[in-house]
């Protein structure tokens, strides 16, 4: 139930993408990975779900370096909902969710009662049972993400990895997914573009900039006006409001400060 | 039974559909063996087969015996094997290169095989005979696919798009050489080249069947074992990786297997088109894309289809024979288009 990323170095096409990245996700925690475009968020996720082998450092899930255990064993611990949609025409929702059972079987493995139960439970947890017989291609964006989340849960993972789960969804669908992930309660590492959602969803945040961690910790400790200005380039502040919810308030002209800085620099 | 259990997309459907289709295949094969220039009643066919399987000889008409045992049965069996094998190769390639337009020839198998076959047919004066064409076609197919793999990989990884485009480019290159040889060929040579490229099982012999059936049945069984992994590939490479599938290793293994399968079939039956493209789509539209159902059902459906098409190819224009490729497309294309028109799920993607 614990993810430790230890001094990770990743180079793609001789370009360093991640340098000396360390982060921890404790049991049951939801940690958000935030940072501007190109800061290395998705690359870090690829290292966590065993798609990219790092040049240096290690990714450990439950204490084991994921590259010292077989791919299938790693996939029984870590499940991911990613942005690649594939070309799943001709599969119904139940079949998509059943893909989550892949790492639990070898070549000769057949579906057993345990598999059906895992699929049913995942469908229920994500409120996707009524969609079970629908063709995946016929679903709305929000429904698709709920089904892909159910696929990940059918893996019965110890760690959930989410890459921009709420992209391109309407505001209601975003909140539905957000509350769903909180309700599921699995240890989660989530890449999020939307800072407003990140502060609502996550216990901790890790801020990446140009492949390095520049801040990490509880949401309010991390999203200081200085970080919002220097990393995200906006004039804003994050505060806990009277109802207990952390919200980000943006300045009347959030970009003004950047213009001032640029003028000073240039 | 609930409605779900009865639907063709339920996991139970394969248990019902597969035996039904297998029975239909046997029936169609028996009819195809019986019909031709000389019609042989089903009962006589049965006796002839039993006599030969029992190691004895048939007591009836020796001409019928000769026709059924030496010509029609190998021919019909080869048609079934070729149809089944091409359908399986098509299913696998469509999933592995993530492209609905993929068919067994997308990686240059047919252009390589054609060049090999045409070289033998036009440059040597028929001295090498049927076996020579087969070996040359197989060698050409292997050479073309090896070249496509070499050009389509980068850092040991086979990326689908680069692979398909390399296949198209190598295909054109080999086609250029083949076309040049065709221009220099005599009209007689040209006719046999054309016939070979459109595919035919007219030259089937018992001697070919052990190798071909071994290749087709063996690879079909192995590929069917990968059904779950093929399903995971539909989710996309990254998602499949997160599902514990070693995508690059799997893709390479499946491509090698399906190319060997296609190369074997094309070597003995020529470039039979359309079956490997159409049958996978047809069966997928009927029973869905779960490869554990799709692979066995596509194999049997492809076999049935090609046995029927071969029967038509030698009866429609008697006493002439038509190449299989003309008929597979002529009958298949309109039906396929009709299916595409009525399938709603294709609108949204």
């Amino acid at each position: 139930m614990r993810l430790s990323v230890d001094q990770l170095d990743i180079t793609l096409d001789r370009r360093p993408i991640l340098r000396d990245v360390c982060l921890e996700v404790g049991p049951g925690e939801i940690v958000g990975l935030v940072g501007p475009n190109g800061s290395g968020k998705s690359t870090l996720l690829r290292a966590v779900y065993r798609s990219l082998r790092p040049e240096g450092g290690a990714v450990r899930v439950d204490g084991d370096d994921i590259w010292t255990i077989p791919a299938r064993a790693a996939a029984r611990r870590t499940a991911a909902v990613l942005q690649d949609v594939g070309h799943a025409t001709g599969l119904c929702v139940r079949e998509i969710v059943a893909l989550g059972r892949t790492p639990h079987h070898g070549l000769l493995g057949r579906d057993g009662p345990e598999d059906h139960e895992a699929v049913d439970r995942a469908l229920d947890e994500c409120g996707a049972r009524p969609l079970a017989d629908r063709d995946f291609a016929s679903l709305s964006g929000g429904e698709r993400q709920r089904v892909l989340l159910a696929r990940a849960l059918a893996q019965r993972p110890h760690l959930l990895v989410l890459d921009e789960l709420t992209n391109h969804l309407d505001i209601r669908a975003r909140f539905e997914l957000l509350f769903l992930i909180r309700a599921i309660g699995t240890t989660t590492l989530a890449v999020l573009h939307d800072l407003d959602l990140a502060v609502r969803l996550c216990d901790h945040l890790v801020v990446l900039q140009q492949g390095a961690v520049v801040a990490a910790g509880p949401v309010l400790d991390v999203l200081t006006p200085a970080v919002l200005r220097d990393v995200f380039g906006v004039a804003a502040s994050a505060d806990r409001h009277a109802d207990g919810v952390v919200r980000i308030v943006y300045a009347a002209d959030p970009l003004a400060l950047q213009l001032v800085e640029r003028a000073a620099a240039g | 039974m609930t409605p779900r259990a009865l639907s063709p997309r339920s996991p139970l459907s394969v248990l019902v559909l597969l035996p039904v289709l297998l029975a239909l295949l046997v029936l169609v094969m028996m009819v195809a063996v019986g019909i031709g220039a000389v019609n042989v009643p089903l009962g006589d066919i049965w006796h002839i087969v039993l006599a030969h399987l029992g190691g004895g000889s048939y007591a009836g008409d020796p001409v019928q015996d000769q026709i059924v045992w030496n010509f029609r049965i190998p021919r019909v069996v080869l048609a079934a094997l070729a149809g089944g094998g091409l359908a399986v190769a098509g299913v696998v390639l469509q999933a592995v290169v993530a492209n609905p337009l993929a068919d067994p020839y997308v990686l240059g198998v047919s252009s390589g095989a054609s060049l090999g076959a045409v070289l033998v047919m036009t440059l040597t004066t028929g001295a090498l005979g049927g076996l020579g064409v087969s070996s040359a076609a197989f060698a050409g197919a292997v050479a073309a696919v090896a070249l496509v793999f070499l050009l389509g990989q980068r850092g040991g990884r086979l990326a689908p798009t680069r692979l398909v485009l390399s296949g198209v480019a190598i295909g054109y290159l080999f086609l250029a050489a083949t076309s040049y040889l065709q221009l220099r060929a005599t009209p007689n040579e040209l006719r046999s080249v054309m016939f070979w490229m459109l595919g035919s099982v007219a030259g089937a012999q018992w001697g070919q069947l052990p190798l071909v059936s071994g290749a087709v049945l063996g690879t079909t069984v192995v590929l069917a074992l990968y059904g779950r992994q093929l399903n995971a590939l539909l989710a996309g490479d990254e998602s499949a990786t997160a599902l514990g599938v070693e995508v690059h290793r799997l893709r390479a293994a499946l491509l090698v297997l399906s190319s060997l399968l296609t190369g074997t079939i094309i070597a003995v039956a020529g470039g039979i088109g359309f079956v490997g493209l159409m049958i996978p789509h047809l069966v997928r539209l009927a029973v869905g894309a779960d490869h554990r159902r799709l692979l066995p059902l596509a194999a049997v459906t492809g076999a049935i289809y090609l046995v029927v098409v071969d029967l038509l190819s030698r009866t429609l224009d008697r006493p002439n024979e038509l190449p299989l490729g003309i008929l597979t497309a002529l009958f298949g294309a309109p039906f396929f288009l009709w299916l595409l028109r009525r399938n709603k799920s294709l609108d949204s993607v």
Side-chain angles (χ1 to χ4, degrees), chain A residues 169-226:
Chain A
L169 298 184
D170 60 45
I171 190 67
R172 187 175 168 90
R174 286 176 188 224
F175 275 113
E176 281 173 356
L177 278 167
L178 186 147
F179 286 114
L180 181 56
I181 293 159
R182 287 232 66 115
I184 289 164
T186 305
T187 310
T188 300
L189 177 65
V191 161
L192 290 157
H193 242 110
D194 186 333
L195 286 180
D196 298 298
L197 280 188
V199 298
R200 282 222 164 202
L201 174 67
C202 303
D203 306 308
H204 288 83
L205 291 180
V206 173
V207 183
L208 274 185
Q209 189 179 28
Q210 291 174 349
V213 174
V214 292
V219 172
L220 281 179
D221 297 352
V222 167
L223 285 189
T224 59

Side-chain angles (χ1 to χ4, degrees), chain A residues 1-13:
Chain A
M1 314 277 166
R2 173 179 286 278
L3 166 71
S4 333
V5 173
D6 192 18
Q7 296 183 308
L8 205 65
D9 286 311
I10 287 184
T11 305
L12 286 178
D13 290 332

